[in-house]
Amino acid sequence: MSTTLQDIADMLRLSKSTVSRALSGDPRVAEDTRARVAALARHMGYTPNPTARALATRRTNTIGLVVPWAPRSLSDPFYLEFLGAAGDEAMRSGYSLFLSAPDGDGAGAVRAHAELADPRRIDGMILTEPRASDERITLLHSVGLPFVVLGVAPDPDVSWISGDNTAGARDAVDYLIGLGHTRIACITGPPDQTASDARFEGYRLAMSGAGLPLDRNIIEAADFTQSGGYSAMNVVIGSRGAPSAVFACNDVMALGAMRALREAGLAVPADVSVVGFDGISMAEYVDPPLATVKQPIQELGRMAVQILIGRMSGGGGPAHCTLPVEFQPRDSVGPPRIGANATGRG
């Protein structure tokens, strides 16, 4: 039979409520009493009942995690890795994860997030894919629910964690330029998402720094999905011919672009080099292996939970964390074919 609070209280001749307060760190309990209670609880192998603890503390011990905007979903390889790390960290800290299920994009998604943002259901929330003007953030401020954003949030009062999107994108495009590419296409994400804007800015800075013009005919917005990258690459090929290289603002769009290039009879990297962003595990195993900007996905997941727990505990001001990223050249990149930069098809 498992040890109960009453067992500990009887052994120490204390009230059950005093033992409960001592184990929760209540400052009204003397330090020596807290130490005696903690020591006996460890000795007796006491494990708190999560339901009882939630009722006593008026907390749910649950963290809400908002799934990405449609058409993306948690099946996206980046989010699967992020969710795994966040879930492991939450469980280690005594929390469970509750996932939202938005009904499409726009108003449906915001409505689902509003339903999740209920202090009776969750203690805090991890928000993904922030937008430049994001009504979900306004909502969370209004209900007073602690939250952290995966991605840079423009509001200085919001805690966020992100990989260094601009620096990583610039490093990738600088590498292509160093190989001799000058006609470099860019497949961006949605223009209202801060990560997409930051990665495009890295592309722009690299091109500008090398004295290369931005050719709007080979810059195309997509939606961070494989099918979006495929469609965008076809648009680019159809506008003025294939570029000598492509920077896609995430890996799955890069994979879609590679398929479009193959279907057009173009080899990667002999005809067109391709670079992605994120460093998802599968990028290393496609043919050819995809060059990419590797984000510390596991660390992003762990730190998002740690920052949120700090916010839920009322500790300090907003946290703004930018983690370093690393460009990983692989077999999907190589020097341009002679004449490819000038003509588009070599």
Side-chain angles (χ1 to χ4, degrees), residues 218-305:
I218 56 173
I219 298 171
E220 187 68 22
D223 56 7
F224 282 140
T225 68
Q226 191 165 339
S227 61
Y230 173 82
S231 298
M233 191 73 255
N234 279 324
V235 171
V236 169
I237 293 171
S239 63
R240 286 181 56 188
S244 71
V246 180
F247 169 62
C249 285
N250 79 344
D251 287 343
V252 294
M253 290 197 301
L255 299 180
M258 289 169 69
R259 177 186 168 191
L261 290 166
R262 284 194 298 268
E263 290 182 357
L266 298 164
V268 177
D271 295 312
V272 182
S273 290
V274 179
V275 175
F277 196 111
D278 276 341
I280 59 176
S281 297
M282 67 183 295
E284 188 175 354
Y285 298 99
V286 298
D287 184 23
L290 177 65
T292 182
V293 179
K294 183 172 179 58
Q295 296 206 74
I297 303 175
Q298 301 286 320
E299 190 65 14
L300 287 168
R302 287 191 292 268
M303 287 190 66
V305 171

Side-chain angles (χ1 to χ4, degrees), residues 14-34:
L14 297 170
S15 69
K16 182 179 175 181
S17 59
T18 298
V19 171
S20 177
R21 286 196 294 268
L23 290 174
S24 66
D26 192 318
R28 293 174 294 177
V29 180
E31 180 60 36
D32 64 328
T33 301
R34 288 205 300 270

Side-chain angles (χ1 to χ4, degrees), residues 31-55:
E31 180 60 36
D32 64 328
T33 301
R34 288 205 300 270
R36 286 193 300 127
V37 170
L40 183 59
R42 285 194 299 270
H43 176 72
M44 297 179 70
Y46 171 72
T47 303
N49 180 297
T51 302
R53 182 171 63 180
L55 290 171

Side-chain angles (χ1 to χ4, degrees), residues 19-111:
V19 171
S20 177
R21 286 196 294 268
L23 290 174
S24 66
D26 192 318
R28 293 174 294 177
V29 180
E31 180 60 36
D32 64 328
T33 301
R34 288 205 300 270
R36 286 193 300 127
V37 170
L40 183 59
R42 285 194 299 270
H43 176 72
M44 297 179 70
Y46 171 72
T47 303
N49 180 297
T51 302
R53 182 171 63 180
L55 290 171
T57 60
R58 296 185 181 180
R59 298 183 66 172
T60 67
N61 299 315
T62 302
I63 291 171
L65 192 147
V66 172
V67 303
W69 297 95
R72 295 180 90 185
S73 70
L74 283 175
S75 64
D76 182 293
F78 173 88
Y79 282 104
L80 282 176
E81 294 182 40
F82 174 81
L83 175 61
D88 288 344
E89 184 64 27
M91 286 187 288
R92 278 193 293 267
S93 303
Y95 290 86
S96 58
L97 285 183
F98 187 95
L99 306 183
S100 72
D103 181 17
D105 198 354
V110 173
R111 183 169 57 252

